[in-house]
Amino acid sequence: MTAAAAEIAGARPHAGVGSHAGVGSAGMWTFLATDAMGFGGLFIAYGWLRVRATAWPDPRSRLELAPAAAMTLALLASSFTMTLAARASARGRRVGWLLATLVLGIGFLAGAVSEDVHLAARMGFSSDLYASTFYALTGFHGLHVLAGVVALASMLRPSGSVRAVEVTALYWHFVDLAWMPIFTFLYLLPAR
């Protein structure tokens, strides 16, 4: 079918070449919906445990806000650079923005690992409910960032597809968005 005939029939031009273009987005949206349920379950568990606890520690007594704020800033900036990478990808100029996003993602991971090493001496992995929920939420999120970093690194090849960058951008924005309630609940919400 020619491009003109396809347009008349209501089909996409070049359907043979790009017929799977929407599959990547639909698959990613489906994955993100199910993944959001995983984060949702962890948030519900955190909220339930916090409300039911007789005492809950103030995060300022255990955590340092400045490094976590810097990690948050890195993720917010990486969302911006990922958007620019997706836009530049159509022009074949995505590598610089992908590299910037990758560096910011690695910076976030380095900050998370540094924080965990620092906290391990003061707050073991299972010393109390606060520690357990902290490590469960931040660890689950950290694995998602690591997966995103691996995906970003694989796209640094100039021959990668524009669509793959757009689909990965959906994932990266989700990971950045998932961090915002984690940061708020674990670092900013005071003890009752």
Side-chain angles (χ1 to χ4, degrees), residues 88-127:
S89 186
R91 297 184 307 275
R93 306 178 84 182
R94 67 174 181 252
V95 172
W97 291 117
L98 284 175
L99 190 57
T101 307
L102 182 66
V103 167
L104 289 165
I106 291 170
F108 176 88
L109 287 175
V113 168
S114 174
E115 178 181 51
D116 286 350
V117 167
H118 178 71
L119 286 175
R122 294 186 301 149
M123 181 175 80
F125 291 113
S126 60
S127 59

Side-chain angles (χ1 to χ4, degrees), residues 42 46 49 56-57 59 62-64 68 71 111-120 122-142 179 182-183 185-188:
L42 286 172
Y46 168 82
L49 291 170
W56 197 261
R62 295 190 181 191
L63 306 174
E64 294 181 31
M71 290 166 39
V113 168
S114 174
E115 178 181 51
D116 286 350
V117 167
H118 178 71
L119 286 175
R122 294 186 301 149
M123 181 175 80
F125 291 113
S126 60
S127 59
D128 57 18
L129 286 176
Y130 178 82
S132 297
T133 55
F134 174 85
Y135 288 119
L137 278 164
T138 59
F140 190 61
H141 181 265
W179 177 252
I182 293 171
F183 178 68
F185 292 138
L186 295 181
Y187 293 87
L188 301 178

Side-chain angles (χ1 to χ4, degrees), residues 1-17:
M1 179 181 282
T2 66
E7 284 183 328
I8 292 170
R12 281 186 175 168
H14 311 290
V17 174

